[in-house]
mmCIF file of all heavy atoms in Angstrom:
data_model
loop_
_atom_site.group_PDB
_atom_site.id
_atom_site.type_symbol
_atom_site.label_atom_id
_atom_site.label_comp_id
_atom_site.label_asym_id
_atom_site.label_seq_id
_atom_site.Cartn_x
_atom_site.Cartn_y
_atom_site.Cartn_z
ATOM 1 N N VAL X 158 3.164 4.603 18.804
ATOM 2 C CA VAL X 158 3.339 5.188 17.462
ATOM 3 C C VAL X 158 3.297 4.089 16.399
ATOM 4 O O VAL X 158 2.646 4.229 15.359
ATOM 5 C CB VAL X 158 4.664 5.980 17.383
ATOM 6 C CG1 VAL X 158 4.961 6.408 15.954
ATOM 7 C CG2 VAL X 158 4.616 7.189 18.321
ATOM 8 N N VAL X 161 -0.334 2.918 15.906
ATOM 9 C CA VAL X 161 -1.137 3.942 15.222
ATOM 10 C C VAL X 161 -0.754 4.026 13.748
ATOM 11 O O VAL X 161 -1.616 4.067 12.866
ATOM 12 C CB VAL X 161 -0.951 5.313 15.914
ATOM 13 C CG1 VAL X 161 -1.462 6.445 15.030
ATOM 14 C CG2 VAL X 161 -1.640 5.312 17.273
ATOM 15 N N MET X 162 0.545 4.022 13.472
ATOM 16 C CA MET X 162 0.989 4.217 12.088
ATOM 17 C C MET X 162 0.785 2.957 11.245
ATOM 18 O O MET X 162 0.563 3.049 10.037
ATOM 19 C CB MET X 162 2.448 4.659 12.053
ATOM 20 C CG MET X 162 2.678 6.018 12.695
ATOM 21 S SD MET X 162 1.614 7.342 12.031
ATOM 22 C CE MET X 162 2.386 7.602 10.426
ATOM 23 N N VAL X 166 -4.350 6.188 10.520
ATOM 24 C CA VAL X 166 -5.507 6.839 11.143
ATOM 25 C C VAL X 166 -5.868 8.163 10.501
ATOM 26 O O VAL X 166 -6.807 8.829 10.945
ATOM 27 C CB VAL X 166 -5.275 7.058 12.660
ATOM 28 C CG1 VAL X 166 -5.017 5.725 13.366
ATOM 29 C CG2 VAL X 166 -4.136 8.042 12.906
ATOM 30 N N SER X 167 -5.173 8.538 9.437
ATOM 31 C CA SER X 167 -5.370 9.866 8.852
ATOM 32 C C SER X 167 -6.808 10.029 8.344
ATOM 33 O O SER X 167 -7.239 9.318 7.440
ATOM 34 C CB SER X 167 -4.355 10.032 7.710
ATOM 35 O OG SER X 167 -4.371 11.326 7.194
ATOM 36 N N ILE X 168 -7.527 10.985 8.941
ATOM 37 C CA ILE X 168 -8.957 11.245 8.660
ATOM 38 C C ILE X 168 -9.771 9.973 8.858
ATOM 39 O O ILE X 168 -10.633 9.607 8.042
ATOM 40 C CB ILE X 168 -9.206 11.857 7.266
ATOM 41 C CG1 ILE X 168 -8.186 12.974 6.954
ATOM 42 C CG2 ILE X 168 -10.603 12.416 7.166
ATOM 43 C CD1 ILE X 168 -8.526 13.833 5.749
ATOM 44 N N VAL X 186 -1.054 10.551 20.168
ATOM 45 C CA VAL X 186 -0.374 10.113 18.940
ATOM 46 C C VAL X 186 -1.388 10.006 17.799
ATOM 47 O O VAL X 186 -1.150 10.517 16.690
ATOM 48 C CB VAL X 186 0.349 8.765 19.151
ATOM 49 C CG1 VAL X 186 0.828 8.184 17.810
ATOM 50 C CG2 VAL X 186 1.522 8.934 20.108
ATOM 51 N N ARG X 188 -4.298 11.464 17.508
ATOM 52 C CA ARG X 188 -4.769 12.809 17.149
ATOM 53 C C ARG X 188 -3.742 13.500 16.259
ATOM 54 O O ARG X 188 -4.082 14.070 15.217
ATOM 55 C CB ARG X 188 -4.986 13.649 18.408
ATOM 56 C CG ARG X 188 -6.147 13.207 19.289
ATOM 57 C CD ARG X 188 -6.981 14.416 19.727
ATOM 58 N NE ARG X 188 -7.820 14.828 18.634
ATOM 59 C CZ ARG X 188 -9.086 14.441 18.471
ATOM 60 N NH1 ARG X 188 -9.672 13.649 19.350
ATOM 61 N NH2 ARG X 188 -9.777 14.846 17.422
ATOM 62 N N ALA X 189 -2.487 13.467 16.673
ATOM 63 C CA ALA X 189 -1.445 14.158 15.908
ATOM 64 C C ALA X 189 -1.261 13.523 14.531
ATOM 65 O O ALA X 189 -0.916 14.200 13.565
ATOM 66 C CB ALA X 189 -0.125 14.126 16.676
ATOM 67 N N ALA X 190 -1.508 12.232 14.452
ATOM 68 C CA ALA X 190 -1.344 11.525 13.175
ATOM 69 C C ALA X 190 -2.544 11.710 12.262
ATOM 70 O O ALA X 190 -2.571 11.172 11.154
ATOM 71 C CB ALA X 190 -1.095 10.035 13.425
ATOM 72 N N GLY X 191 -3.564 12.453 12.718
ATOM 73 C CA GLY X 191 -4.658 12.811 11.831
ATOM 74 C C GLY X 191 -5.992 12.135 12.066
ATOM 75 O O GLY X 191 -6.919 12.304 11.263
ATOM 76 N N ALA X 192 -6.131 11.381 13.180
ATOM 77 C CA ALA X 192 -7.430 10.745 13.452
ATOM 78 C C ALA X 192 -8.509 11.812 13.514
ATOM 79 O O ALA X 192 -8.315 12.883 14.092
ATOM 80 C CB ALA X 192 -7.381 9.959 14.761
ATOM 81 N N SER X 193 -9.669 11.518 12.943
ATOM 82 C CA SER X 193 -10.756 12.496 12.986
ATOM 83 C C SER X 193 -11.551 12.370 14.275
ATOM 84 O O SER X 193 -12.189 13.331 14.704
ATOM 85 C CB SER X 193 -11.663 12.350 11.769
ATOM 86 O OG SER X 193 -12.095 11.021 11.628
ATOM 87 N N SER X 194 -11.521 11.204 14.917
ATOM 88 C CA SER X 194 -12.141 11.059 16.241
ATOM 89 C C SER X 194 -11.478 9.909 16.958
ATOM 90 O O SER X 194 -11.031 8.949 16.328
ATOM 91 C CB SER X 194 -13.648 10.820 16.118
ATOM 92 O OG SER X 194 -13.906 9.763 15.232
ATOM 93 N N ASP X 235 -22.057 2.694 10.992
ATOM 94 C CA ASP X 235 -21.128 1.841 10.243
ATOM 95 C C ASP X 235 -20.098 1.157 11.140
ATOM 96 O O ASP X 235 -19.699 0.031 10.883
ATOM 97 C CB ASP X 235 -20.373 2.679 9.197
ATOM 98 C CG ASP X 235 -21.294 3.195 8.118
ATOM 99 O OD1 ASP X 235 -22.038 2.390 7.543
ATOM 100 O OD2 ASP X 235 -21.286 4.417 7.860
ATOM 101 N N TYR X 301 11.953 7.812 14.267
ATOM 102 C CA TYR X 301 11.873 9.136 13.623
ATOM 103 C C TYR X 301 10.505 9.758 13.855
ATOM 104 O O TYR X 301 10.378 10.948 14.153
ATOM 105 C CB TYR X 301 12.129 9.021 12.107
ATOM 106 C CG TYR X 301 13.583 8.890 11.731
ATOM 107 C CD1 TYR X 301 14.148 7.660 11.466
ATOM 108 C CD2 TYR X 301 14.408 10.009 11.662
ATOM 109 C CE1 TYR X 301 15.488 7.519 11.128
ATOM 110 C CE2 TYR X 301 15.750 9.894 11.320
ATOM 111 C CZ TYR X 301 16.288 8.643 11.059
ATOM 112 O OH TYR X 301 17.617 8.528 10.729
ATOM 113 N N GLN X 302 9.465 8.951 13.711
ATOM 114 C CA GLN X 302 8.107 9.467 13.901
ATOM 115 C C GLN X 302 7.895 9.900 15.351
ATOM 116 O O GLN X 302 7.313 10.948 15.617
ATOM 117 C CB GLN X 302 7.092 8.385 13.509
ATOM 118 C CG GLN X 302 7.112 8.080 12.015
ATOM 119 C CD GLN X 302 6.427 6.781 11.653
ATOM 120 O OE1 GLN X 302 6.281 5.880 12.473
ATOM 121 N NE2 GLN X 302 6.020 6.671 10.397
ATOM 122 N N THR X 303 8.367 9.071 16.263
ATOM 123 C CA THR X 303 8.211 9.376 17.685
ATOM 124 C C THR X 303 8.893 10.696 18.014
ATOM 125 O O THR X 303 8.320 11.573 18.678
ATOM 126 C CB THR X 303 8.822 8.222 18.518
ATOM 127 O OG1 THR X 303 8.154 7.003 18.170
ATOM 128 C CG2 THR X 303 8.684 8.489 20.010
ATOM 129 N N ALA X 305 9.647 13.144 15.971
ATOM 130 C CA ALA X 305 8.955 14.266 15.324
ATOM 131 C C ALA X 305 7.732 14.687 16.143
ATOM 132 O O ALA X 305 7.464 15.884 16.308
ATOM 133 C CB ALA X 305 8.541 13.879 13.904
ATOM 134 N N LEU X 306 7.013 13.725 16.657
ATOM 135 C CA LEU X 306 5.801 14.039 17.425
ATOM 136 C C LEU X 306 6.125 14.758 18.727
ATOM 137 O O LEU X 306 5.450 15.716 19.111
ATOM 138 C CB LEU X 306 5.027 12.746 17.743
ATOM 139 C CG LEU X 306 4.315 12.100 16.560
ATOM 140 C CD1 LEU X 306 3.793 10.723 16.959
ATOM 141 C CD2 LEU X 306 3.171 12.983 16.077
ATOM 142 N N SER X 309 7.811 18.399 18.106
ATOM 143 C CA SER X 309 6.882 19.448 17.670
ATOM 144 C C SER X 309 5.918 19.855 18.763
ATOM 145 O O SER X 309 5.153 20.805 18.609
ATOM 146 C CB SER X 309 6.070 18.934 16.475
ATOM 147 O OG SER X 309 5.162 17.928 16.902
ATOM 148 N N ARG X 311 3.396 18.186 19.574
ATOM 149 C CA ARG X 311 2.045 17.675 19.285
ATOM 150 C C ARG X 311 1.701 16.509 20.216
ATOM 151 O O ARG X 311 0.527 16.210 20.404
ATOM 152 C CB ARG X 311 1.935 17.249 17.824
ATOM 153 C CG ARG X 311 2.212 18.422 16.885
ATOM 154 C CD ARG X 311 1.987 18.042 15.442
ATOM 155 N NE ARG X 311 0.604 18.294 15.051
ATOM 156 C CZ ARG X 311 0.018 17.776 13.986
ATOM 157 N NH1 ARG X 311 0.669 16.940 13.228
ATOM 158 N NH2 ARG X 311 -1.236 18.055 13.694
ATOM 159 N N VAL Z 158 -8.259 17.759 -0.574
ATOM 160 C CA VAL Z 158 -8.289 16.536 0.242
ATOM 161 C C VAL Z 158 -7.740 15.353 -0.558
ATOM 162 O O VAL Z 158 -6.936 14.563 -0.050
ATOM 163 C CB VAL Z 158 -9.728 16.253 0.725
ATOM 164 C CG1 VAL Z 158 -9.809 14.881 1.397
ATOM 165 C CG2 VAL Z 158 -10.202 17.348 1.677
ATOM 166 N N VAL Z 161 -3.911 15.662 -0.760
ATOM 167 C CA VAL Z 161 -3.278 15.397 0.541
ATOM 168 C C VAL Z 161 -3.345 13.909 0.868
ATOM 169 O O VAL Z 161 -2.356 13.302 1.299
ATOM 170 C CB VAL Z 161 -3.974 16.228 1.645
ATOM 171 C CG1 VAL Z 161 -3.601 15.720 3.029
ATOM 172 C CG2 VAL Z 161 -3.625 17.706 1.485
ATOM 173 N N MET Z 162 -4.516 13.296 0.662
ATOM 174 C CA MET Z 162 -4.686 11.899 1.065
ATOM 175 C C MET Z 162 -3.973 10.936 0.109
ATOM 176 O O MET Z 162 -3.526 9.862 0.521
ATOM 177 C CB MET Z 162 -6.171 11.555 1.174
ATOM 178 C CG MET Z 162 -6.880 12.334 2.267
ATOM 179 S SD MET Z 162 -6.079 12.211 3.905
ATOM 180 C CE MET Z 162 -6.527 10.531 4.358
ATOM 181 N N VAL Z 166 0.159 12.155 4.435
ATOM 182 C CA VAL Z 166 0.948 13.161 5.162
ATOM 183 C C VAL Z 166 1.071 12.868 6.648
ATOM 184 O O VAL Z 166 1.673 13.655 7.382
ATOM 185 C CB VAL Z 166 0.343 14.572 4.972
ATOM 186 C CG1 VAL Z 166 0.292 14.949 3.489
ATOM 187 C CG2 VAL Z 166 -1.041 14.681 5.607
ATOM 188 N N SER Z 167 0.544 11.741 7.091
ATOM 189 C CA SER Z 167 0.505 11.453 8.529
ATOM 190 C C SER Z 167 1.926 11.385 9.113
ATOM 191 O O SER Z 167 2.720 10.531 8.715
ATOM 192 C CB SER Z 167 -0.240 10.128 8.729
ATOM 193 O OG SER Z 167 -0.453 9.848 10.073
ATOM 194 N N ILE Z 168 2.215 12.297 10.045
ATOM 195 C CA ILE Z 168 3.554 12.460 10.653
ATOM 196 C C ILE Z 168 4.616 12.652 9.566
ATOM 197 O O ILE Z 168 5.691 12.044 9.585
ATOM 198 C CB ILE Z 168 3.921 11.316 11.609
ATOM 199 C CG1 ILE Z 168 2.732 10.929 12.505
ATOM 200 C CG2 ILE Z 168 5.104 11.695 12.484
ATOM 201 C CD1 ILE Z 168 3.079 9.998 13.662
ATOM 202 N N VAL Z 186 -6.164 21.173 5.666
ATOM 203 C CA VAL Z 186 -6.421 19.750 5.391
ATOM 204 C C VAL Z 186 -5.200 18.923 5.777
ATOM 205 O O VAL Z 186 -5.315 17.897 6.462
ATOM 206 C CB VAL Z 186 -6.788 19.531 3.907
ATOM 207 C CG1 VAL Z 186 -6.790 18.037 3.555
ATOM 208 C CG2 VAL Z 186 -8.149 20.150 3.591
ATOM 209 N N ARG Z 188 -2.783 19.662 7.844
ATOM 210 C CA ARG Z 188 -2.621 19.663 9.300
ATOM 211 C C ARG Z 188 -3.588 18.669 9.934
ATOM 212 O O ARG Z 188 -3.190 17.875 10.786
ATOM 213 C CB ARG Z 188 -2.913 21.061 9.880
ATOM 214 C CG ARG Z 188 -1.923 22.131 9.488
ATOM 215 C CD ARG Z 188 -1.538 22.985 10.704
ATOM 216 N NE ARG Z 188 -0.628 22.239 11.545
ATOM 217 C CZ ARG Z 188 0.716 22.337 11.479
ATOM 218 N NH1 ARG Z 188 1.288 23.183 10.656
ATOM 219 N NH2 ARG Z 188 1.466 21.606 12.259
ATOM 220 N N ALA Z 189 -4.848 18.726 9.540
ATOM 221 C CA ALA Z 189 -5.844 17.836 10.143
ATOM 222 C C ALA Z 189 -5.556 16.377 9.818
ATOM 223 O O ALA Z 189 -5.860 15.482 10.609
ATOM 224 C CB ALA Z 189 -7.242 18.213 9.655
ATOM 225 N N ALA Z 190 -4.956 16.149 8.660
ATOM 226 C CA ALA Z 190 -4.651 14.776 8.252
ATOM 227 C C ALA Z 190 -3.373 14.256 8.895
ATOM 228 O O ALA Z 190 -2.985 13.114 8.648
ATOM 229 C CB ALA Z 190 -4.542 14.691 6.732
ATOM 230 N N GLY Z 191 -2.708 15.084 9.717
ATOM 231 C CA GLY Z 191 -1.592 14.595 10.502
ATOM 232 C C GLY Z 191 -0.210 15.050 10.079
ATOM 233 O O GLY Z 191 0.782 14.557 10.618
ATOM 234 N N ALA Z 192 -0.119 16.010 9.154
ATOM 235 C CA ALA Z 192 1.207 16.499 8.770
ATOM 236 C C ALA Z 192 1.934 17.033 9.999
ATOM 237 O O ALA Z 192 1.345 17.713 10.830
ATOM 238 C CB ALA Z 192 1.083 17.596 7.707
ATOM 239 N N SER Z 193 3.222 16.747 10.097
ATOM 240 C CA SER Z 193 3.973 17.245 11.246
ATOM 241 C C SER Z 193 4.484 18.659 11.002
ATOM 242 O O SER Z 193 4.740 19.394 11.940
ATOM 243 C CB SER Z 193 5.120 16.303 11.590
ATOM 244 O OG SER Z 193 5.904 16.035 10.454
ATOM 245 N N SER Z 194 4.622 19.052 9.751
ATOM 246 C CA SER Z 194 4.959 20.442 9.444
ATOM 247 C C SER Z 194 4.484 20.760 8.043
ATOM 248 O O SER Z 194 4.467 19.885 7.174
ATOM 249 C CB SER Z 194 6.470 20.695 9.568
ATOM 250 O OG SER Z 194 7.183 19.756 8.802
ATOM 251 N N ASP Z 235 17.626 16.710 4.830
ATOM 252 C CA ASP Z 235 17.141 15.610 3.982
ATOM 253 C C ASP Z 235 16.157 16.080 2.918
ATOM 254 O O ASP Z 235 16.115 15.521 1.827
ATOM 255 C CB ASP Z 235 16.439 14.553 4.846
ATOM 256 C CG ASP Z 235 17.398 13.860 5.794
ATOM 257 O OD1 ASP Z 235 18.424 13.359 5.310
ATOM 258 O OD2 ASP Z 235 17.125 13.829 7.004
ATOM 259 N N TYR Z 301 -16.410 11.672 1.613
ATOM 260 C CA TYR Z 301 -16.550 11.305 3.028
ATOM 261 C C TYR Z 301 -15.483 12.005 3.872
ATOM 262 O O TYR Z 301 -15.749 12.518 4.951
ATOM 263 C CB TYR Z 301 -16.433 9.786 3.208
ATOM 264 C CG TYR Z 301 -17.690 9.024 2.851
ATOM 265 C CD1 TYR Z 301 -17.844 8.418 1.614
ATOM 266 C CD2 TYR Z 301 -18.735 8.905 3.762
ATOM 267 C CE1 TYR Z 301 -18.999 7.719 1.278
ATOM 268 C CE2 TYR Z 301 -19.899 8.209 3.440
ATOM 269 C CZ TYR Z 301 -20.029 7.622 2.197
ATOM 270 O OH TYR Z 301 -21.170 6.932 1.872
ATOM 271 N N GLN Z 302 -14.252 12.000 3.355
ATOM 272 C CA GLN Z 302 -13.151 12.622 4.098
ATOM 273 C C GLN Z 302 -13.377 14.123 4.220
ATOM 274 O O GLN Z 302 -13.168 14.720 5.283
ATOM 275 C CB GLN Z 302 -11.821 12.342 3.382
ATOM 276 C CG GLN Z 302 -11.429 10.874 3.441
ATOM 277 C CD GLN Z 302 -10.378 10.490 2.420
ATOM 278 O OE1 GLN Z 302 -10.198 11.171 1.413
ATOM 279 N NE2 GLN Z 302 -9.691 9.388 2.682
ATOM 280 N N THR Z 303 -13.797 14.742 3.115
ATOM 281 C CA THR Z 303 -14.035 16.185 3.117
ATOM 282 C C THR Z 303 -15.100 16.544 4.146
ATOM 283 O O THR Z 303 -14.940 17.465 4.957
ATOM 284 C CB THR Z 303 -14.478 16.625 1.698
ATOM 285 O OG1 THR Z 303 -13.449 16.266 0.776
ATOM 286 C CG2 THR Z 303 -14.743 18.122 1.642
ATOM 287 N N ALA Z 305 -16.024 14.810 6.768
ATOM 288 C CA ALA Z 305 -15.536 14.573 8.137
ATOM 289 C C ALA Z 305 -14.672 15.733 8.613
ATOM 290 O O ALA Z 305 -14.769 16.173 9.766
ATOM 291 C CB ALA Z 305 -14.742 13.262 8.186
ATOM 292 N N LEU Z 306 -13.848 16.263 7.732
ATOM 293 C CA LEU Z 306 -12.955 17.362 8.117
ATOM 294 C C LEU Z 306 -13.730 18.635 8.433
ATOM 295 O O LEU Z 306 -13.428 19.338 9.396
ATOM 296 C CB LEU Z 306 -11.955 17.641 6.990
ATOM 297 C CG LEU Z 306 -10.861 16.600 6.806
ATOM 298 C CD1 LEU Z 306 -10.089 16.870 5.526
ATOM 299 C CD2 LEU Z 306 -9.923 16.603 8.014
ATOM 300 N N SER Z 309 -16.142 18.216 11.666
ATOM 301 C CA SER Z 309 -15.448 18.224 12.967
ATOM 302 C C SER Z 309 -14.886 19.590 13.297
ATOM 303 O O SER Z 309 -14.383 19.806 14.395
ATOM 304 C CB SER Z 309 -14.302 17.214 12.938
ATOM 305 O OG SER Z 309 -13.273 17.686 12.070
ATOM 306 N N ARG Z 311 -12.245 20.745 12.079
ATOM 307 C CA ARG Z 311 -10.790 20.740 11.951
ATOM 308 C C ARG Z 311 -10.346 21.513 10.712
ATOM 309 O O ARG Z 311 -9.204 21.954 10.638
ATOM 310 C CB ARG Z 311 -10.253 19.310 11.908
ATOM 311 C CG ARG Z 311 -10.641 18.533 13.174
ATOM 312 C CD ARG Z 311 -10.015 17.152 13.184
ATOM 313 N NE ARG Z 311 -8.712 17.187 13.810
ATOM 314 C CZ ARG Z 311 -7.788 16.237 13.694
ATOM 315 N NH1 ARG Z 311 -8.029 15.186 12.953
ATOM 316 N NH2 ARG Z 311 -6.633 16.347 14.297
#
Side-chain angles (χ1 to χ4, degrees):
Chain X
V158 171
V161 165
M162 296 307 287
V166 301
S167 187
I168 316 193
V186 169
R188 291 225 77 95
S193 52
S194 52
D235 293 309
Y301 281 98
Q302 293 164 337
T303 301
L306 288 171
S309 70
R311 300 185 90 197
Chain Z
V158 172
V161 165
M162 296 307 286
V166 301
S167 187
I168 317 191
V186 169
R188 293 224 75 95
S193 52
S194 53
D235 294 307
Y301 281 98
Q302 292 163 339
T303 301
L306 287 170
S309 70
R311 301 185 89 197

